[in-house]
Amino acid sequence: IFQALSPQRHHLILDLNARSGLLTWEAVRQVPEGGVFARVADPQDFDALTEQATLLPELSRPHLFLGDLTAALDQWPELRFDGIVGRQGLGSDTVARLVERLAEKGRIVVWEQVRSQRLYALLDPARLSPDLLHALAQAEDALHTDLDIAQLTAEFSPDMAVNTEPVSLQRDLPMTPALLERWFAPNSTYLTHLQQHLTASEVDTVQRQFVQQLSYQTVTWHTDACLIQAQWSNTKKAQH
C-alpha cells in the first residue's frame, strides 16, 4: 500500500480503518513532518492504540478517532489529505466524502476483500449428497457479502483515474479441534446461520463431515482481494 502511495515526509495521511494500527504506525514512520489521522472502529483497538501513541512525542502522535468516519471528518472541514489508505475501510457510502477530502495531487490506496473463503469449499464434495452440498453452499453464501468492485469504483469522480489490481491470497491453516469447535459452538454465527437454512439432521451431517474430514489437517485458506488506487486525472480539482 505504501509503495503505491509513495508519501513525502510532510504529507497528511488518513487511515480509514486502523484496527491494530499496522498502516497507522507505518504512516507515522513515513511522514514525520506531516500528520496522520486514523479512524478506529473498535473501542478496544482504540484504547490500545491510544496507549501506544502516548509512547511517542506529542507532535508525532496520530490523531485517533473512534466510530463514524463522516462525523469525524466534519470536525476538521479544512483538512485535505495527500494520502488515504485502508484495509476493509472503503464503502460506496464513503467514497464521495473521501474524494472531497483528497488533495489536488493526493492518492487513495486501499486494500479491500472481495470474496472470503467458504468453509464448505474445504470439504470433499463427493462425501456429501449433491442436494445437501447445494443447500450448504447456498446457506453459507448468504452469510457473506462479496464486494462488487465495478460498482464500488463507479462511485469515484469521473475526473479521477482509478486502477484496480486483483490479489489472490493463500495461507496454510491448521484445522485444530478448537477451531472446529468454535465454528460449531452453540451460539456461533456460522452454526446459527446454518440452523436457519438446514434441517437439524442436515446440520448434524455437515458438522460430522467437518470433524471427520478436517480434524488435524492443514488446509489452504483462500482470500480474493483487490488493491484500489485512485487519483485526480490532472493536477487541478476543477469544480471540486
Side-chain angles (χ1 to χ4, degrees), residues 78-159:
E78 75 287 352
L79 288 183
R80 296 297 180 268
F81 297 98
D82 302 289
I84 297 176
V85 299
R87 296 176 299 153
Q88 297 293 96
L90 192 63
S92 58
D93 57 334
T94 61
V95 170
R97 293 301 306 273
L98 296 178
V99 167
E100 292 175 356
R101 294 308 189 91
L102 191 64
E104 290 185 9
K105 297 182 180 180
R107 177 175 294 181
I108 297 173
V109 184
V110 293
W111 184 97
E112 295 293 323
Q113 181 173 288
V114 177
R115 180 180 172 85
S116 59
Q117 171 73 54
R118 301 303 199 254
L119 301 188
Y120 66 79
L122 302 175
L123 297 174
D124 179 358
R127 296 175 62 177
L128 288 172
S129 72
D131 287 345
L132 179 53
L133 181 61
H134 178 71
L136 174 61
Q138 281 195 319
E140 191 174 340
D141 286 342
L143 184 61
H144 300 275
T145 302
D146 295 334
L147 182 63
D148 187 332
I149 291 296
Q151 181 179 1
L152 181 62
T153 55
E155 299 293 331
F156 285 91
S157 166
D159 296 323

Side-chain angles (χ1 to χ4, degrees), residues 150-169:
Q151 181 179 1
L152 181 62
T153 55
E155 299 293 331
F156 285 91
S157 166
D159 296 323
M160 303 190 77
V162 182
N163 178 65
T164 59
E165 179 184 343
V167 180
S168 181
L169 305 176

Side-chain angles (χ1 to χ4, degrees), residues 172-186:
D172 291 337
L173 181 66
M175 291 287 101
T176 63
L179 178 58
L180 293 171
E181 288 174 7
R182 186 163 74 244
W183 288 348
F184 288 95

